[in-house]
């Protein structure tokens, strides 16, 4: 930057963008939570148990190399059973959110075309400085194509929900 005013303007712009993104994400979560709370979706216990297992596995993978998962749990002063029961409500709600959004996508017939996917991959590649064609081929070769399609489909379902909501200013 050539001047302090340019630096200040850039910082202000970036902070405003970050704050706007956080508020938008919070609003999306609030809409999904409101719809989920009103839904009649029953969450199968096996799905909740799988989610808890995923959370525990991610936690174990994030521990330093010399710390075992058992030592970590012991250090918290809880048993694994207590940790599982503490995680259960949040895990169940997370699964419920996913099932509700999936149900919305299904009910509304929301699909994602190959063209939409390619456009998204190219935009992502450009934003990260990667070669778009290479990223496209990597996704197709390594099984990421279908996961991306599902993510985009669910994002479109959430967008559909958001479009039907009127935000009330704070």
């Amino acid at each position: 930057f050539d001047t302090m005013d340019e630096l200040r303007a850039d910082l202000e712009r970036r902070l405003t963008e970050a704050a706007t993104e956080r508020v938008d994400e919070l609003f999306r979560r609030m809409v999904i939570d409101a719809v989920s709370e009103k839904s009649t979706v029953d969450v199968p216990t096996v799905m909740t148990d799988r989610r808890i297992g995923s959370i525990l596995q991610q936690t174990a993978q994030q521990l330093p190399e010399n710390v075992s998962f058992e030592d970590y749990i012991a250090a918290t002063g809880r048993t694994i059973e207590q940790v599982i029961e503490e995680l259960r409500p949040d895990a169940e709600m997370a699964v419920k959110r996913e099932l509700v959004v999936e149900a919305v996508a299904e009910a509304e017939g929301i699909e994602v075309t190959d063209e939409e996917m390619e456009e998204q991959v190219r935009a992502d590649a450009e934003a990260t400085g990667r070669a778009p064609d290479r990223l496209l081929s990597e996704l197709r070769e390594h099984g990421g194509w279908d996961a991306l399609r599902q993510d985009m489909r669910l994002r479109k379902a959430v967008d559909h929900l958001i479009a039907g909501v009127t935000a009330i200013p704070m």
Side-chain angles (χ1 to χ4, degrees):
F1 300 99
D2 294 330
T3 67
M4 281 298 280
D5 287 339
E6 288 176 357
L7 174 62
R8 188 174 290 116
D10 184 66
L11 286 172
E12 188 174 310
R13 178 190 56 78
R14 285 195 277 161
L15 289 172
T16 300
E17 286 175 5
T20 301
E21 287 175 14
R22 275 189 246 127
V23 168
D24 289 347
E25 182 60 28
L26 178 61
F27 182 69
R28 293 172 74 81
R29 286 178 186 262
M30 291 174 72
V31 169
I32 294 167
D33 284 350
V35 172
S36 296
E37 287 173 13
K38 300 283 186 199
S39 77
T40 58
V41 172
D42 290 324
V43 178
T45 304
V46 68
M47 291 180 80
T48 302
D49 291 343
R50 282 189 194 143
R51 178 56 56 92
I52 291 169
S54 294
I55 294 168
L56 294 175
Q57 185 177 27
Q58 287 174 348
T59 301
Q61 289 173 348
Q62 293 174 351
L63 294 174
E65 286 184 40
N66 59 347
V67 177
S68 73
F69 185 69
E70 292 75 18
D71 291 343
Y72 169 74
I73 294 296
T76 67
R78 299 173 291 177
T79 65
I80 187 67
E81 291 79 16
Q82 289 171 321
V83 171
I84 289 171
E85 288 313 307
E86 288 172 11
L87 290 172
R88 188 166 298 285
D90 290 340
E92 185 173 345
M93 187 60 178
V95 172
K96 187 173 187 175
R97 285 183 196 110
E98 291 172 10
L99 292 174
V100 166
V101 172
E102 178 65 41
V104 169
E106 190 68 32
E108 297 298 325
I110 296 172
E111 296 298 331
V112 177
T113 65
D114 287 346
E115 292 79 23
E116 289 172 310
M117 290 180 59
E118 188 168 326
E119 182 180 314
Q120 180 66 52
V121 171
R122 289 187 182 284
D124 291 347
E126 185 178 309
T128 59
R130 296 183 68 188
D133 291 332
R134 182 174 179 161
L135 184 56
L136 281 166
S137 67
E138 285 175 8
L139 282 170
R140 288 183 174 124
E141 290 172 16
H142 301 294
W145 192 250
D146 291 333
L148 176 61
R149 185 182 304 274
Q150 181 64 5
D151 286 349
M152 289 179 67
R153 181 173 182 254
L154 296 180
R155 197 173 320 133
K156 283 175 82 170
V158 173
D159 290 344
H160 176 78
L161 287 172
I162 300 297
V165 174
T166 302
I168 299 171
M170 294 178 65

